[in-house]
Amino acid sequence: MISALLNYNYLQNAFMAAILASIACGILGTIIVEKKMVMMSGGIAHTAFGGIGLGYFLRVEPIYAALVFSLLSALSIARIQRQAQVMPDVLMGMFWPLGMALGILFIYLTPGYPPSMSSYLFGDILTVSRGDLLVMALLDILLILTIVGFYHLLQAYWFDEEFSMGLGLRVLLAEALTYAMIAVTVVVLIRVVGIILILALLCAPPAFAHFFRSDLSGIMGLSVMAGALICLGGLCLSYHYNIPSGAAIVILSVLVYTSTALCFRPGLHHPNK
Amino acid sequence: MTAGKMAVELENVSAGYGSITAVQGVNLAIEEGSFTGIIGPNGGGKSTILKLMLGLIQPWQGKVRIFGREPHYFRHLIGYVPQAASSNRQFPISVRQVVLQGRLAGSTPFFHRYHKWDHQIVERCLTRLDILDLANRQIGQLSGGQWQRVLIARALVVQPRILLLDEPTSGLDASSSSLVYELLQELNQELSIVMVTHDTIAISSCVKDIACINYTLHYHGEPDISPELVMQVYGCPVDLIAHGVPHRVLGQHGGMQ
Ligand SMILES: Nc1ncnc2c1ncn2[C@@H]1O[C@H](COP(=O)(O)OP(=O)(O)OP(=O)(O)O)[C@@H](O)[C@H]1O
Ligand SMILES: [Mg+2]
């Protein structure tokens, strides 16, 4: 594998993609898990499929269309939720399939032979291009800058929205940033694990890190590392046994989490149980 | 006490959530320097009144004024202690980080860093509440009473002129409660306090006036309540006197108003 890594371009790309994906999934996954937004993120991920379809329909690069589309839908979901006070679960129950439906519709409307969607749905880390890597790297930098730049505001919003509002902090800004970051993360991860499998990669590393660390930045750091190991491990499995990379990564991540959870005695180490 | 100047004014305020009306036609004026206890049954609208004062919810009708202006002008002058049960105690954050958040009032969010004096104020408040040794604990590792004190510390580091507390001593043992009440009375020298409470000891020993809220304001004045008023507010006779505490609450001679 090492020599292959040195010789083959596509493996080098896959390696880089794994690292870049783990940065996004580790940091944002932590927020999603701790702020209990898992289902919300699943919904936002699936709206990205509408963007992919729109990209094919308009003949622009699907990943760019997905970025714009999921940013817009994430922000409108945030807005609808605040104004209409619907239950997030219900909202997701509609937006989740809506994204898929729009994707299917756009692809149906696109003239010519329908493109294969499986690499967007299930991810294919071995076909990541230089262009994809560039997009992923830029989005990662954007995420890190946003988190570092607004850390105290964001932390206050994530922890206690009501108190932050009472202090006069810019809660709406924090909310918009959070939702936008989730949308960006989804786009970073699409090429690696695909829309349908994203949730596992968002949940498993932070949940794993939560066993060992109990401060927000510590959990973020550790889940980036865990995410990197899981993605690289999945890449190895995928390369060696010639199995789909998205599936390998997801199965590995769930295995890592559950085996840790079983080995760890909850109550002895876990601070919240 | 600087009598006359109003810290908080509610003028014919009605408010609620969605289709639920929580409070209706409330007129309440709280002077600067006062220590007001808000009492009333569960669901009576006490927390709603505090949220109106903070500007967290907008009144459907009527006006809320803080120092004569709309609440959002003076948010940095209000310290808020929410009902302890409402917070997400699973969140990975330390006591110090939570209390520091009180120092964020009025800051610019981009690349914000806490200053040295922010940390000093936090240390002072933690010391005052006797929880300095817990500063680096995760909040999930605190007892209910310790967590309540963290919430009070976070409101104090704002350095407010008005302190709004929502049941600050629920879940505290007797000695911690009296610690909190002593502290509040000391703070009351410098700032106005509005406290929602079910604690009869507080009503009889430390507040200067009480407001009884159940859907609407039934009474505001001296902490002396007649049995008729209790019937009116709670719908049944409630013993508001704690054993062994001087009778200030339930006037024995009946109708006080
Ligand atoms: N977020 C909310 N959504 C809908 N209704 C609410 C909400 N919060 C409170 N209510 C309703 O408003 C009314 C007043 O509630 P409020 O929380 O102000 O009562 P409270 O006096 O603080 O009660 P408690 O002593 O139990 O804290 C209640 O009827 C309640 O059902
Ligand atoms: Mg309440």
Side-chain angles (χ1 to χ4, degrees), chain A residues 58-82:
Chain A
L58 298 176
R59 295 176 197 290
V60 294
E61 178 62 34
I63 210 83
Y64 295 135
L67 178 61
V68 175
F69 200 85
S70 53
L71 269 177
L72 289 180
S73 41
L75 293 176
S76 24
I77 288 171
R79 174 106 197 209
I80 293 172
Q81 209 199 326
R82 180 167 288 279

Side-chain angles (χ1 to χ4, degrees), chain A residues 4 16 19 22 25 41 51 63 74-75 95 100 155 190 217 273:
Chain A
M16 283 306 295
I19 301 293
S22 61
C25 84
S41 316
I63 210 83
L75 293 176
F95 266 80
M100 301 303 279
Q155 193 191 35
I190 280 182
S217 48
K273 276 183 189 152

Side-chain angles (χ1 to χ4, degrees), chain B residues 46-47 83 166-167 196:
Chain B
K46 306 180 297 295
S47 300
Q83 232 167 325
D166 204 340
E167 301 184 26
V196 171

Side-chain angles (χ1 to χ4, degrees), chain B residues 17 20 22 41-48 83 167 198:
Chain B
Y17 310 84
I20 300 168
N42 289 135
K46 306 180 297 295
S47 300
T48 307
Q83 232 167 325
E167 301 184 26
H198 293 296

